[in-house]
Amino acid sequence: MTAVAHEPTTPAEGLLDIFLSLDTPEGFRAELIEGEIVVTPPPDGEHEKYISRIVRQVIKRSRIDMDFSGNKGLKLKSGGACPKNHVIPDVTFGALSLDLFGSADSWMPCDGVAMVLEVTSSKPEADRETKRRCYARAGIPAYLLVDRETGMVTLFSEPENEDHLRRVRRSFGDPLSLPEPFAFELDTADFI
């Protein structure tokens, strides 16, 4: 059988082909967000501390049993002429009963995802703006953002079109109520 080269039919498909063929260095991650390829270096210890504190609380305190995956590739709806977004949240949460991650490909659809978590790092504007729009467009019910520069944690929920209808923002140290299926007060005292 002879392989035939596939020519992309649009610039967006060409960009997606380039993105999917990237060979990023170990520890780095590449994402395709609103038509831009973003490569991020490995996180620092403080970044991982916030993730650890949140994951521990979600697993122990959520109303239903939750599962999580760190750095799980999600395929999200695109906007405008952008190709399908390929985003890697710091953490993706889903109900354990759904077993979202057990048989998932490297890039999985976001159906069944209950919440994504991002902790700001080298490109905080991407987490604050671009990824927020991507998660809303995809209909992910909750987006939790830990903003290290501002010392704030924000829960975006009720996604509609390009954004979220509800935003609750708290300073590090103040509790933040997480909605169903989590249904508990996230303790951020250890973030200070």
Side-chain angles (χ1 to χ4, degrees), residues 34-77:
E34 293 189 341
E36 180 182 351
I37 295 174
V38 179
V39 178
T40 332
D44 61 28
E46 183 181 79
H47 181 274
E48 297 302 285
K49 170 189 153 182
Y50 293 117
I51 291 171
S52 172
R53 298 312 189 266
I54 292 170
V55 168
R56 290 162 62 96
Q57 289 184 60
V58 168
I59 297 302
K60 288 180 179 180
R61 301 177 64 202
S62 290
R63 180 160 296 173
I64 66 169
D65 287 336
M66 298 301 294
D67 203 359
F68 76 95
S69 180
N71 298 310
K72 180 70 193 123
L74 298 178
K75 290 187 280 188
L76 307 177
K77 295 176 186 173

Side-chain angles (χ1 to χ4, degrees), residues 15-126:
L15 181 62
L16 181 58
D17 287 347
I18 291 167
F19 169 74
L20 292 173
S21 67
L22 286 176
D23 185 21
T24 54
E26 187 174 335
F28 284 71
R29 65 181 185 189
E31 301 172 283
L32 179 58
I33 307 170
E34 293 189 341
E36 180 182 351
I37 295 174
V38 179
V39 178
T40 332
D44 61 28
E46 183 181 79
H47 181 274
E48 297 302 285
K49 170 189 153 182
Y50 293 117
I51 291 171
S52 172
R53 298 312 189 266
I54 292 170
V55 168
R56 290 162 62 96
Q57 289 184 60
V58 168
I59 297 302
K60 288 180 179 180
R61 301 177 64 202
S62 290
R63 180 160 296 173
I64 66 169
D65 287 336
M66 298 301 294
D67 203 359
F68 76 95
S69 180
N71 298 310
K72 180 70 193 123
L74 298 178
K75 290 187 280 188
L76 307 177
K77 295 176 186 173
S78 62
C82 298
K84 187 168 287 230
N85 292 303
H86 286 64
V87 179
I88 304 173
D90 288 325
V91 180
T92 303
F93 294 99
L96 183 65
S97 62
L98 296 178
D99 192 23
L100 293 177
F101 312 116
S103 60
D105 290 332
S106 298
W107 295 99
M108 66 177 244
C110 60
D111 302 331
V113 170
M115 181 170 71
V116 291
L117 164 65
E118 296 282 4
V119 177
T120 57
S121 54
S122 58
K123 296 184 187 254
E125 283 308 311

